[in-house]
Amino acid sequence: MTTRDDTKTRLDALRVEIERRNPAQPEFHQAVHEVLDTLAPVLAARPEYAEPGLIERLCEPERQVIFRVPWQDDQGRVHVNRGFRVEFNSALGPYKGGLRFHPSVNLGIIKFLGFEQIFKNALTGLGIGGGKGGSDFDPHGRSDAEIMRFCQSFMTELYRHIGEHTDVPAGDIGVGGREIGYLFGQYRRITNRWEAGVLTGKGAGWGGSAIRPEATGYGSVLFAAAMLRERGEDLEGQTAVVSGSGNVAIYTVEKLLALGANPLTCSDSSGYVVDDKGIDVELLKQIKEVERGRISEYAERRGASARFVPGGRVWEVPADVALPSATQNELDENDAAALVRNGVKAVAEGANMPTTPEAVHLFQRAGVAFGPGKAANAGGVAVSALEMAQNHARTAWSPTKVEEELAHIMSAIHTTCHETAERYGAPGDYVTGANIAGFERVADAMLAQGVI
Ligand code: NDP
Ligand code: 2IT
């Protein structure tokens, strides 16, 4: 019989082996460790999951593509970026996951994101596998024409690896509706196919789903509300700190306001704004979505209630709820200690892996409800899967219908994580609940489909 000690020894050995075979990929190691650290109870209880090679297969991408992306700027200078697509696991459906354009992108970052995506996508209950891609291209300060040429060059290679039944990319940092438009145009041109389901996050008039832009932020607020409700509290009337000011942060702020909470902050890589009256979401959208400006402009235009703190971190602002919605490892142990000191009750990760492992443990020890990204931010990819369903049926659902579906999916994810954590002896631990519940679904499919 396999004991928990045997399982732990095996998982520890696997961690060491994964570090050895994937050198210089700290974010990938971090994401894998976080999952492996929580699997011992399920491997001990369900011997079929301890089958040799299952976890090893899960931690090795099915396919990794790296390619050159040459493009010309407006002055005619040639730039060479690197493109990535990591097709991690397709046991549950076509690879599904976003594209990130940011100078920090490298293979390790894309692998961490693709690995997380497997479990997140499993938690949605929909038929989507896990993948991720992107480029070290920096879109900041680039003209529309430069962005278009870059996207066209990127798709000129990527098109041969994707397809509605194979791999379906979407947006992430630096990739929103504009970029998806240019990518889709080039795919259509090269393939001469109107294959709407090859990308999600498309425009409303040409195959996009209602509520896809809003879905990640709305979903993470719904997840925070569900965690609070579990503790007999209501989100209404609570103050919130939100980081980031991109797609996820904007619709997090919008949903907080809609549910009667008070979002006090948002940020970008230059610093943060705090607004004593609560963030004005229309002004935020104007500056960030329409003008593509900097967050300091919000404080300049908002008046006396708001100020800009250059270089600061939103976590120093006291609040009841925290929603990190910018990037990985943006909330460390010191930030967590400050939030706990100031009485934070719940943290829901809108971003992927924004909280360092030390900070997660600190929240859990302090009894703060902690919703990991693979559960809390799954609303975005869930509505992407609904977009694929609409494309397949050549139909378009109303915003009301999509929003109802999203609310239903987020509530089901919360319940699944909560119940799974309890079942495996970790009540209230949403990290364990999310990892085990996602793992069970993928592992069952992998076992049924044989050693491939
Ligand atoms: P956007 O590009 O729209 O916005 C990103 C925001 O985060 C910007 O405010 C940006 O500031 C800030 N940011 C990015 N990188 C850094 C950094 N290294 N340091 C400081 N600030 C940074 O991206 P999204 O809102 O789409 O994505 C935010 C997070 O949510 C990511 O972790 C993403 O993986 C995750 N996510 C996104 C989903 C989606 O559907 N879009 C779905 C699920 C998760 P600046 O402009 O100054 O760089
Ligand atoms: O991290 C994520 O879940 C996303 N960036 C969204 C992926 C998607 O396919 O919609």
Side-chain angles (χ1 to χ4, degrees):
M1 213 190 97
T2 315
T3 66
R4 265 196 202 202
D5 280 351
D6 294 340
T7 311
K8 195 176 167 319
T9 311
R10 189 180 144 217
L11 289 175
D12 285 345
L14 182 57
R15 277 172 60 148
V16 172
E17 180 62 1
I18 286 172
E19 285 188 18
R20 190 189 66 75
R21 291 187 73 212
N22 301 275
Q25 297 183 351
E27 293 85 2
F28 178 56
H29 301 165
Q30 185 182 334
V32 170
H33 292 178
E34 189 224 85
V35 170
L36 295 188
D37 276 351
T38 56
L39 291 187
V42 69
L43 297 183
R46 309 269 302 266
E48 68 273 28
Y49 294 149
E51 180 179 291
L54 175 67
I55 306 205
E56 287 80 353
R57 282 194 287 140
L58 191 57
C59 294
E60 182 72 17
E62 290 176 15
R63 190 174 298 106
Q64 307 179 54
V65 186
I66 304 182
F67 52 96
R68 180 172 72 200
V69 190
W71 58 281
Q72 272 183 302
D73 67 21
D74 289 342
Q75 285 70 46
R77 279 188 300 261
V78 174
H79 299 254
V80 178
N81 285 101
R82 194 168 285 172
F84 302 89
R85 188 71 184 168
V86 172
E87 298 180 332
F88 223 117
N89 192 298
S90 59
L92 293 175
Y95 309 105
K96 183 81 195 88
L99 296 171
R100 176 178 291 192
F101 292 170
H102 192 272
S104 64
V105 162
N106 57 41
L107 182 60
I109 299 244
I110 298 300
K111 279 170 67 181
F112 118 63
L113 290 162
F115 184 74
E116 291 267 308
Q117 200 83 44
I118 303 170
F119 303 92
K120 182 194 307 192
N121 294 5
L123 282 172
T124 66
L126 303 166
I128 39 179
K132 200 83 186 191
S135 174
D136 58 0
F137 172 67
D138 186 356
H140 283 114
R142 290 293 170 194
S143 69
D144 266 4
E146 289 174 322
I147 298 285
M148 182 180 76
R149 285 195 295 276
F150 178 81
C151 288
Q152 290 175 341
S153 180
F154 186 83
M155 184 54 86
T156 299
E157 171 62 32
L158 186 70
Y159 89 95
R160 66 184 87 245
H161 307 290
I162 63 176
E164 64 175 322
H165 301 296
T166 310
D167 183 357
V168 183
D172 193 80
I173 291 176
V175 178
R178 172 182 60 170
E179 291 72 19
I180 295 293
Y182 295 145
L183 291 164
F184 186 75
Q186 184 73 349
Y187 183 85
R188 186 167 60 74
R189 184 183 193 190
I190 294 174
T191 60
N192 192 28
R193 281 162 68 95
W194 180 274
E195 189 185 335
V198 70
L199 290 169
T200 61
K202 299 180 293 298
W206 46 277
S209 175
I211 308 296
R212 176 61 190 89
E214 293 87 350
T216 312
Y218 280 17
S220 60
V221 174
L222 294 176
F223 198 89
M227 292 196 297
L228 286 171
R229 212 172 304 119
E230 194 59 50
R231 302 177 162 222
E233 297 219 37
D234 197 332
L235 182 66
E236 191 178 347
Q238 311 272 359
T239 53
V241 279
V242 178
S243 64
S245 52
N247 172 264
V248 178
I250 289 172
Y251 293 98
T252 295
V253 165
E254 185 164 283
K255 194 62 167 180
L256 285 165
L257 291 167
L259 295 182
N262 191 11
L264 298 174
T265 64
C266 51
S267 68
D268 64 19
S269 53
S270 62
Y272 74 87
V273 291
V274 54
D275 188 336
D276 299 332
K277 282 195 188 155
I279 298 289
D280 174 341
V281 72
E282 294 311 321
L283 179 60
L284 179 63
K285 283 184 189 174
Q286 176 63 29
I287 292 168
K288 282 298 189 173
E289 285 187 333
V290 180
E291 298 170 22
R292 299 179 186 274
R294 304 307 291 161
I295 202 62
S296 51
E297 294 164 38
Y298 177 95
E300 286 156 22
R301 280 149 71 171
R302 174 68 162 152
S305 70
R307 61 185 189 286
F308 175 60
V309 183
R313 284 150 92 90
V314 299
W315 320 121
E316 62 203 30
V317 177
D320 301 309
V321 181
L323 295 128
S325 309
T327 194
Q328 64 274 1
N329 294 326
E330 55 161 319
L331 195 171
D332 68 16
E333 205 174 1
N334 292 332
D335 302 321
L339 284 164
V340 168
R341 237 183 355 261
N342 289 327
V344 74
K345 300 170 193 167
V347 178
E349 292 188 322
N352 286 308
M353 210 171 74
T355 315
T356 65
E358 298 76 20
V360 174
H361 292 141
L362 200 149
F363 285 136
Q364 290 178 326
R365 279 199 307 276
V368 174
F370 178 80
K374 52 174 87 69
N377 72 39
V381 76
V383 173
S384 276
L386 302 182
E387 181 169 327
M388 291 161 70
Q390 293 168 73
N391 294 154
H392 196 70
R394 295 189 185 274
T395 188
W397 300 347
S398 70
T400 312
K401 176 168 167 63
V402 181
E403 223 180 317
E404 279 170 12
E405 293 283 337
L406 172 65
H408 174 74
I409 291 167
M410 294 313 299
S411 161
I413 294 174
H414 175 268
T415 305
T416 301
C417 295
H418 195 263
E419 289 179 357
T420 307
E422 241 168 36
R423 185 150 33 95
Y424 286 98
D429 177 351
Y430 291 95
V431 175
T432 295
N435 289 345
I436 293 185
F439 169 78
E440 286 182 321
R441 193 166 172 235
V442 182
D444 286 344
M446 288 177 71
L447 288 174
Q449 294 172 30
V451 177
I452 49 157

